[in-house]
Amino acid sequence: MQYVSLQGTISSTIKVISFDPYLVRFTLQTSTQDYNCLVAKDAFNLMYVAIQNAPIAVFGHYNRRKQLIIDKYHVRNVVSG
């Protein structure tokens, strides 16, 4: 299994695609390309802290369908106002 670490921004809305198990997806945009990302671990928290265009750092691996499965993430605080 090949692990990757990436930094970029969330370029799409965060969508719930499954409720059992709870699974969300978003598109990560880096300076070189876009990645389809899936989050199962701590997905509720991601829905709470992340917004579109927020900076994010991720660590994960690819599945057979070339989707990036996120194991760990950090969303930078975005102050709106």
Side-chain angles (χ1 to χ4, degrees):
M1 190 177 312
Q2 178 186 1
Y3 288 96
V4 294
S5 180
L6 299 167
Q7 293 182 358
T9 58
I10 299 171
S11 65
S12 68
T13 57
I14 300 171
K15 300 172 188 149
V16 177
I17 59 172
S18 174
F19 288 102
D20 189 24
Y22 197 72
L23 187 65
V24 297
R25 77 159 303 279
F26 65 93
T27 302
L28 171 68
Q29 183 177 30
T30 65
S31 59
T32 56
Q33 75 181 72
D34 293 347
Y35 297 88
N36 291 322
C37 299
L38 297 175
V39 180
K41 295 179 183 177
D42 209 17
F44 277 121
N45 189 47
L46 180 71
M47 294 289 295
Y48 181 72
V49 299
I51 60 173
Q52 191 170 352
N53 297 323
I56 188 170
V58 299
F59 177 79
H61 62 278
Y62 291 102
N63 65 5
R64 288 186 217 140
R65 298 176 69 189
K66 304 294 186 203
Q67 297 165 316
L68 184 59
I69 308 301
I70 305 300
D71 295 319
K72 295 180 184 180
Y73 63 86
H74 176 73
V75 179
R76 188 175 207 183
N77 286 341
V78 178
V79 178
S80 61

